Amino acid sequence: MNKWDKRFMDMAEVVASWSSCNREGRHIGAVVVKDKRILTTGYNGAPSGVANCVERGECLRDKLGIPSGTRHELCYAVHAEQNAIAQAAKLGISLQDATLYCTHQPCVICAKMIINSGISKVIYKYGYPDEFSLELFKEAGVAVVNFNEETL
């Protein structure tokens, strides 16, 4: 890890603070970077034009008793990584050989999108209960690093 990794992870934490998820501990932020330049950002929140959980006053996943790491489709929010990739598509920005900094380890759905978008490295801070995503990253040759400020 180096000072740039810390800067971009700090930025991912700032972006996470924009989340409209009301589930405790689930404010997720992502920053996609290439050549020390931020290409896109994303945080977890409802799609444009759809009421988010804060506006609804409840979390659908909590209401249905869905445990973390499962049934990703039963949620109003789009994941931070997905939003960062969608933003790049909307703006016509290539993510080929970029690095994604994320506050949390990506889930398997995000891993598939990250792989297909051409992102070559993922740096995350907090774990997530999804070992399959790590297997996919390994098979696809995407480098995955658990960020640790103590190693700076």
Side-chain angles (χ1 to χ4, degrees):
M1 296 291 146
N2 60 49
K3 67 181 180 178
W4 284 103
D5 291 326
K6 178 163 177 21
R7 289 173 180 166
F8 293 128
M9 188 58 73
D10 287 348
M11 179 59 73
E13 294 278 5
V14 168
V15 172
S17 72
W18 305 338
S19 171
S20 59
C21 179
N22 63 3
R23 206 167 203 203
E24 187 174 331
R26 289 294 170 216
H27 286 202
I28 317 297
V31 176
V32 183
V33 174
K34 187 171 182 179
D35 300 326
K36 298 180 184 172
R37 301 284 184 250
I38 295 173
L39 301 177
T40 64
T41 62
Y43 57 89
N44 57 327
S48 298
V50 175
N52 62 52
C53 292
V54 172
E55 294 165 339
R56 292 173 187 276
E58 67 180 359
C59 171
L60 178 63
R61 295 179 63 78
D62 285 344
K63 180 180 174 181
L64 298 175
I66 300 169
S68 186
T70 65
R71 305 294 314 267
H72 303 290
E73 74 281 6
L74 292 176
C75 181
Y76 290 110
V78 176
H79 288 190
E81 306 94 320
Q82 294 169 6
N83 273 324
I85 292 167
Q87 182 183 48
K90 187 175 183 177
L91 299 174
I93 298 170
S94 171
L95 302 182
Q96 189 66 41
D97 297 320
T99 298
L100 183 137
Y101 292 84
C102 195
T103 55
H104 293 69
Q105 173 197 320
C107 73
V108 68
I109 295 169
C110 290
K112 292 173 185 179
M113 291 182 67
I114 289 165
I115 291 164
N116 277 356
S117 72
I119 291 170
S120 61
K121 186 174 188 179
V122 173
I123 300 176
Y124 71 92
K125 192 169 187 178
Y126 305 107
Y128 186 70
D130 194 335
E131 290 299 315
F132 188 48
S133 68
L134 298 176
E135 291 175 28
L136 289 180
F137 282 137
K138 184 176 181 180
E139 185 173 338
V142 174
V144 178
V145 178
N146 187 196
F147 178 84
N148 183 343
E149 290 187 53
E150 294 174 10
T151 61
L152 289 175

